[in-house]
Amino acid sequence: MSDAQTGDIADHRFPCDQCGADFRFDPAAGQLTCDHCGHSAPIEGMGRSAQPIRELDFDAALNAQLPEAEIEETRVLSCPNCAAQVEMGDAEHASECPFCATPVVTGTGTHRHIKPKAVLPFALDERTARGAMGDWLGRLWFAPNGLQNYARKGRKMQGIYVPYWTFDADTQSRYSGERGTVYYETRTVMRDGKPEQVRVPKVRWRSVSGRVARFFDDVLVLASTSLPKRYTDALEPWDLAALEPYSPEFLAGLRAEGYTVELSAGFSEAGHHMDRVIERDIKFDIGGDRQRIHNVDTNVDDVTFKHILLPVWLAAYKYRGKTYRFVVNGSTGRVQGERPYSAWKITFAVILGLILALAIGYGAAMSQ
């Protein structure tokens, strides 16, 4: 199977060479499978760990100087409610947003963007992901039974590739600060009318300065705003060592979300992460018992990046007028989502707690 042609609209439909029906990517088999006739086909190059995934130059991208081969166009649906941009096929004209269950009509425009360089293929199929979600919901005692049953028996989950940026950078930081050494003074204090000696900690500060250096590899930044970041962060860790060079065959039968966090904004967030790590490095370099950092001057060089796609199984249910969203890491099965509460279950628990408290109190009173 070959990649889409540069400059054309990216096509993620691949006809079976036996019957002409559409292939889909089968996570269990790690290949393309035709549900109509059962024929399968491997994805060329999949699993060849020797294949390097080439980084792109950050400055070139900011100046719109990337080679045309690194750019693609896709037809997208833009949700009016959550602003998700989801790639849609040519034959699809009406749909429901997989992120928030809002009915929408697909647009006819195209989205020109930086092509993904790598993809982490789905390792779990929809049935396994649904089972993981059902188990997670089952552990939420206060969740409404109706929602639990609806989610378990409802429509299928959507397989979505969520966009991320990764950044590499070489940093050198000069700093100034203070190193604190803890020592103790003995003082006499009065307690209950009697003198008592106590040891009081003090800190002796000394000015310091120095340099630290660190190479950052694959700083991961979510490139979408359609899902709450607390959900996607909780799906980590991701096995980035298992990334495959991007091929549209991995998207067969699935969807991919277009990035809505631009490259510059993504690097700004990555910079905050780098700053925290550099601060930790500086404190370690200062040493001592306590550290104060007064000034940091960091040079960032050789910045490169990748646009990658990570697998998420997604369910969005409207239950009694409210949307509940659940996400499953398509590689590990980790689950996150809305934590719904049942009013009657909470009321029952409160009443039961009061009854138990009264029973314990009555028992204690009778024993006296």
Side-chain angles (χ1 to χ4, degrees):
M1 298 283 174
S2 61
D3 202 331
Q5 296 296 314
T6 302
D8 293 338
I9 302 300
D11 187 3
H12 301 143
R13 297 180 61 190
F14 298 92
C16 172
D17 50 11
Q18 297 293 316
C19 69
D22 285 342
F23 273 125
R24 66 172 177 84
F25 177 71
D26 183 355
Q31 60 184 1
L32 297 176
T33 298
C34 176
D35 290 330
H36 182 72
C37 71
H39 182 62
S40 60
I43 296 178
E44 184 178 352
M46 181 178 178
R48 296 179 186 174
S49 58
Q51 292 188 78
I53 300 174
R54 188 170 62 86
E55 304 278 337
L56 298 177
D57 184 82
F58 178 70
D59 290 332
L62 289 185
N63 295 321
Q65 294 177 346
L66 286 178
E68 190 64 22
E70 304 296 345
I71 306 298
E72 71 174 0
E73 289 185 352
T74 55
R75 288 189 173 91
V76 296
L77 149 75
S78 184
C79 176
N81 182 45
C82 70
Q85 292 194 358
V86 183
E87 295 183 12
M88 306 296 286
D90 293 346
E92 295 179 276
H93 299 291
S95 186
E96 182 180 81
C97 176
F99 290 93
C100 65
T102 299
V104 290
V105 177
T106 60
T108 56
T110 60
H111 183 211
R112 180 177 171 84
H113 56 219
I114 299 170
K115 183 187 296 186
K117 292 296 290 184
V119 57
L120 182 61
F122 277 86
L124 305 179
D125 59 18
E126 190 271 342
R127 181 178 179 180
T128 304
R130 176 180 291 278
M133 182 187 69
D135 292 342
W136 183 80
L137 278 170
R139 293 193 293 271
L140 302 180
W141 195 85
F142 289 115
N145 291 333
L147 176 62
Q148 291 177 331
N149 294 333
Y150 181 68
R152 290 192 180 104
K153 299 177 182 179
R155 62 186 182 278
K156 288 186 175 181
M157 302 183 77
Q158 296 262 8
I160 303 283
Y161 280 105
V162 177
Y164 281 78
W165 301 112
T166 74
F167 296 94
D168 293 1
D170 198 13
T171 65
Q172 302 84 33
S173 303
R174 300 182 63 174
Y175 69 85
S176 62
E178 292 179 275
R179 170 176 174 163
T181 302
V182 176
Y183 66 97
Y184 293 86
E185 291 182 351
T186 301
R187 293 183 180 178
T188 301
V189 299
M190 299 298 291
R191 289 182 178 173
D192 299 328
K194 297 180 181 180
E196 182 178 331
Q197 288 189 332
V198 296
R199 284 162 50 89
V200 179
K202 297 286 186 177
V203 180
R204 184 179 293 111
W205 294 100
R206 177 171 61 88
S207 295
V208 294
S209 62
R211 298 183 182 184
V212 296
R214 175 175 284 270
F215 175 72
F216 288 92
D217 182 39
D218 282 345
V219 177
L220 190 65
V221 175
L222 177 66
S224 165
T225 57
S226 53
L227 285 173
K229 195 172 183 300
R230 65 183 184 275
Y231 295 166
T232 53
D233 285 351
L235 293 181
E236 296 181 6
W238 297 95
D239 184 10
L240 299 186
L243 286 170
E244 297 278 353
Y246 172 73
S247 175
E249 284 93 335
F250 288 113
L251 278 61
L254 300 161
R255 297 198 187 281
E257 184 187 8
Y259 61 81
T260 52
V261 175
E262 295 299 325
L263 184 63
S264 57
F267 183 67
S268 179
E269 183 174 338
H272 295 316
H273 168 80
M274 295 179 190
D275 289 342
R276 291 192 296 269
V277 174
I278 291 170
E279 179 179 333
R280 185 190 64 193
D281 289 348
I282 291 173
K283 288 185 176 181
F284 182 81
D285 195 60
I286 290 175
D289 301 312
R290 308 280 176 83
Q291 302 84 32
R292 289 174 175 169
I293 301 173
H294 296 319
N295 184 63
V296 180
D297 183 17
T298 298
N299 288 326
V300 182
D301 299 311
D302 301 325
V303 180
T304 58
F305 75 97
K306 297 188 302 292
H307 171 204
I308 67 173
L309 301 175
L310 300 183
V312 170
W313 286 104
L314 175 66
Y317 301 112
K318 281 191 176 296
Y319 179 75
R320 294 184 176 177
K322 183 176 179 180
T323 298
Y324 294 92
R325 292 174 293 181
F326 308 101
V327 290
V328 180
N329 183 316
S331 178
T332 66
R334 184 185 292 266
V335 183
Q336 287 295 314
E338 318 279 353
R339 301 185 68 87
Y341 295 94
S342 167
W344 78 263
K345 284 186 177 181
I346 294 174
T347 302
F348 176 77
V350 170
I351 294 173
L352 182 61
L354 290 173
I355 292 173
L356 289 174
L358 290 172
I360 292 171
Y362 179 76
M366 292 297 293
S367 65
Q368 293 179 354

